[in-house]
Amino acid sequence: MRVVSIHTYPVKGCRRMDHDSARVEPWGLDGDRRWLIVDEHGLGLSQHQHRELVTMRAVSRPGGLTLEAPGLAPLDLAEPTDGEASQVLVYRGRYPAQVRAAGPEADEWLGRLLGRAVRLVWLGDPAGNLVPWEVPAGSGAEVSFADGTPLLLANTASLDAFNDWLLESDSPEGPLPMTRFRPNVVISGAAPWAEAEWVGRRIRIGGAEFHGAAECPRCVVATIDQETGERGREPLRTLAARRNVDQKLLFGLQLTVRADPGGATRDGRTVSVGDAVEVLA
């Protein structure tokens, strides 16, 4: 089994960035979902509310990022280390996160894109941002602005099997690309749905170790074409018929980061395209 692609989403809900290699932090891949757009009440916004976010490209770099979208001039932003401090919720039911405001220039730029008053905030210290549920022994509880766990793994063979189901059902929407599921790490060489058997197990990828926390329940965002923003019925329609477990429509494996990945130092933990994937005890 090997890694075939790696992706991050610098601003939650934005277009993906593709990588050949990425450093692994306790809260996920370096630069992944450290920025969040919030409404006037400090509640996070994503493609649930604004499908047009598929057109927004956020390119992260050391110390900041650049925002790009059709019809708008690119906007360069530095990490607002001295920005106004506040608390926000990535979504209801999560602990408040301590953030810094990016500032009025970013807010105005995003307001023009989304057609409403919003704020852009930055999570400067993910070490203090914890998931509100129990994590596996040996894993950290830190998380960025990801919905559930720090990383999402997807299996190309599972996508192929899913698209076979679409073909059998004569669905007009298939085949679907992997981008619909917005994974961080995509692997090949495993059997279809093998990742379902990795829940509760350790997984070594490159220089890092992870814990298979749970299969990923999918939401309506998976029905949004990540190139156009158009919404359909798939994959939720077919997942409801084929991979519905306790009313959760499952695709992909949620991962937590192991606190001690085989003795590797924190700065030395990376995952790269081509890395071997090994499922441990």
Side-chain angles (χ1 to χ4, degrees), residues 86-105:
S86 64
Q87 290 187 337
V88 299
L89 293 174
V90 65
Y91 62 83
R92 292 184 177 89
R94 276 275 285 272
Y95 296 133
Q98 304 287 336
V99 298
R100 296 279 183 176
E105 187 178 19

Side-chain angles (χ1 to χ4, degrees), residues 161-217:
F162 173 85
N163 280 324
D164 286 345
W165 292 339
L166 283 186
L167 186 63
E168 293 170 8
S169 69
D170 294 323
S171 171
E173 296 185 42
L176 298 188
M178 188 65 84
T179 54
R180 280 292 188 96
F181 299 96
R182 295 175 63 85
N184 293 113
V185 177
V186 181
I187 68 164
S188 66
W193 315 113
E195 63 275 22
E197 304 301 319
W198 303 347
V199 174
R201 302 182 70 180
R202 291 185 294 122
I203 303 159
R204 180 180 294 138
I205 306 175
E209 280 189 16
F210 306 92
H211 195 105
E215 289 190 88
C216 183

Side-chain angles (χ1 to χ4, degrees), residues 256-277:
T256 55
V257 181
R258 294 282 297 176
D260 182 17
T265 63
R266 171 172 156 175
D267 291 340
R269 295 185 292 180
T270 62
V271 294
S272 300
V273 171
D275 276 349
V277 179

Side-chain angles (χ1 to χ4, degrees), residues 78-184:
E79 292 176 350
T81 54
D82 296 323
E84 179 186 354
S86 64
Q87 290 187 337
V88 299
L89 293 174
V90 65
Y91 62 83
R92 292 184 177 89
R94 276 275 285 272
Y95 296 133
Q98 304 287 336
V99 298
R100 296 279 183 176
E105 187 178 19
D107 299 347
E108 180 183 355
W109 192 96
L110 285 165
R112 283 155 48 201
L113 175 66
L114 302 180
R116 61 180 293 183
V118 295
R119 291 188 296 131
L120 180 65
V121 298
W122 173 68
L123 183 63
D125 183 17
N129 196 42
L130 305 179
V131 296
W133 45 77
E134 186 176 355
V135 298
S139 293
E142 303 98 331
V143 70
S144 63
F145 286 130
D147 278 351
T149 56
L151 288 93
L152 177 67
L153 177 147
N155 175 5
T156 57
S158 299
L159 179 64
D160 290 342
F162 173 85
N163 280 324
D164 286 345
W165 292 339
L166 283 186
L167 186 63
E168 293 170 8
S169 69
D170 294 323
S171 171
E173 296 185 42
L176 298 188
M178 188 65 84
T179 54
R180 280 292 188 96
F181 299 96
R182 295 175 63 85
N184 293 113

